[in-house]
Amino acid sequence: MNPGPLLSAVAAVTVAMTALAVAHRLRPALPEGEEPPEPHPALASIGSGLLSGFILLTGFLVATGWAARSTGVVPPGGLYIADLAAGTAVLLFPSLSGLPFTARHATAVCFFAALVGYTMSLAVQLRP
């Protein structure tokens, strides 16, 4: 079994959860009984755009990496760096958008981060 994708998933979960915990720690404390403020509606479109860009780039790298085994045409290395940057932005977005550090949100971020790390690893490993 190849441990690369699992290690990548663990690394992505670590990055996302560390960012979420640090952001929670640095946020000012709310007065007793006050609800946390809702994120600005524009943040939803930013997150969707980041995720769409990451998915498109990773999908392109997976498809061309797979096809490169028979065609010999390999994507440029800069695209892999861009994919890593996009994946990192996607992992940091929940903490930067003010997502509270609750068990429910932490679980969702963990599962999401594991998927992001696994697919990034897949894109890199399919490069011939």
Side-chain angles (χ1 to χ4, degrees), residues 18-118:
T18 301
L20 195 62
V22 167
H24 177 73
R25 178 85 170 138
L26 295 177
R27 247 180 243 127
L30 294 173
E32 188 67 31
E34 185 177 326
E35 291 290 320
E38 291 292 320
H40 193 275
L43 287 175
S45 62
I46 292 171
S48 299
L50 281 173
L51 187 58
S52 297
F54 170 73
I55 289 171
L56 286 171
L57 185 56
T58 304
F60 172 77
L61 291 175
V62 167
T64 55
W66 184 265
R69 299 187 183 281
S70 60
T71 64
V73 178
V74 180
L79 288 179
Y80 291 95
I81 294 169
D83 188 43
L84 180 63
T88 303
V90 166
L91 292 175
L92 295 179
F93 182 75
S95 61
L96 295 175
S97 67
L99 192 68
F101 192 65
T102 62
R104 180 176 59 126
H105 291 111
T107 303
V109 168
C110 279
F111 283 121
F112 177 72
L115 183 61
V116 167
Y118 189 86

